[in-house]
Amino acid sequence: MKTVLLVRHAKSSWGDQTLPDHERPLNHRGRRDAPRAGERLRERGVVPDAIVTSTAVRARSTAVILAQALDLGSDRIVEDDRLYGASPEGLLDIIRALDDELASVMLVGHNPEIGELASRLSDEIAEMPTCAVAEFRFDVSDWAEVGAVVPVAVLFEAPPRDR
């Protein structure tokens, strides 16, 4: 069994218009939602073996906060610049190349790519708001098979809309 957790980074700040897109940090809502998402996963016993994150500041920050909430060390976070701007097929290539010793992996990336891949893996997922988590369980032994078979279980969680 292989489990893929697709996470769209938490809400980012547009406050400093001089920052390049890659350097935008999380805003207050993002810093609030990310630990809550991690806590919900931990409560369900969902703890990935590794977190692969985009190198963008908002994605890396989300990954670090999630890892802390899941009691994972920073050594379990892998930065991969291919996640910044990757196509859904590119994201699948990253997943398919994972070490088969890993049973569960979280990818922290960006829309529209994360959302498009989630929708491609399951028509139950129409969109990926910020800090949403889409969980897919595949009855396969090799990561190379992910995407070629239908997941046996799909779970989706998104933070409540701002009040």
Side-chain angles (χ1 to χ4, degrees):
M1 190 71 73
K2 300 291 185 193
T3 301
V4 175
L5 299 156
L6 298 179
V7 179
R8 181 178 174 195
H9 64 77
K11 189 75 174 162
S12 61
S13 173
W14 291 90
D16 184 348
Q17 297 294 317
T18 65
L19 282 178
D21 180 70
H22 194 270
E23 302 304 315
R24 287 190 298 114
L26 296 180
N27 69 11
H28 171 75
R29 188 172 111 199
R31 291 187 307 275
R32 177 198 70 200
D33 289 346
R36 291 177 180 173
E39 290 164 10
R40 285 191 305 273
L41 288 168
R42 190 183 68 235
E43 287 169 3
R44 291 194 301 109
V46 177
V47 179
D49 296 323
I51 299 174
V52 182
T53 182
S54 160
T55 56
V57 169
R58 60 194 179 274
R60 288 192 335 252
S61 298
T62 301
V64 167
I65 292 169
L66 287 168
Q68 290 169 343
L70 294 165
D71 294 324
L72 293 175
S74 60
D75 60 323
R76 306 271 285 277
I77 300 173
V78 177
E79 293 182 20
D80 190 326
D81 61 352
R82 296 175 296 168
L83 268 80
Y84 184 76
S87 67
E89 191 60 41
L91 294 174
L92 268 178
D93 288 343
I94 292 166
I95 293 167
R96 290 175 177 149
L98 291 168
D99 182 343
D100 287 326
E101 294 295 315
L102 301 170
S104 176
V105 174
M106 175 184 286
L107 264 66
V108 181
H110 309 270
N111 258 6
E113 300 83 11
I114 284 284
E116 289 172 3
L117 178 56
S119 295
R120 179 173 165 179
L121 294 175
S122 173
D123 58 9
E124 295 176 34
I125 300 172
E127 67 172 307
M128 289 283 289
T130 54
C131 214
V133 179
E135 179 182 340
F136 304 92
R137 294 186 187 270
F138 295 91
D139 191 9
V140 298
S141 56
D142 300 318
W143 287 108
E145 299 174 70
V146 170
V149 297
V150 176
V152 295
V154 175
L155 208 77
F156 178 77
E157 288 186 341
R161 297 280 183 197
D162 256 358
R163 296 145 282 285

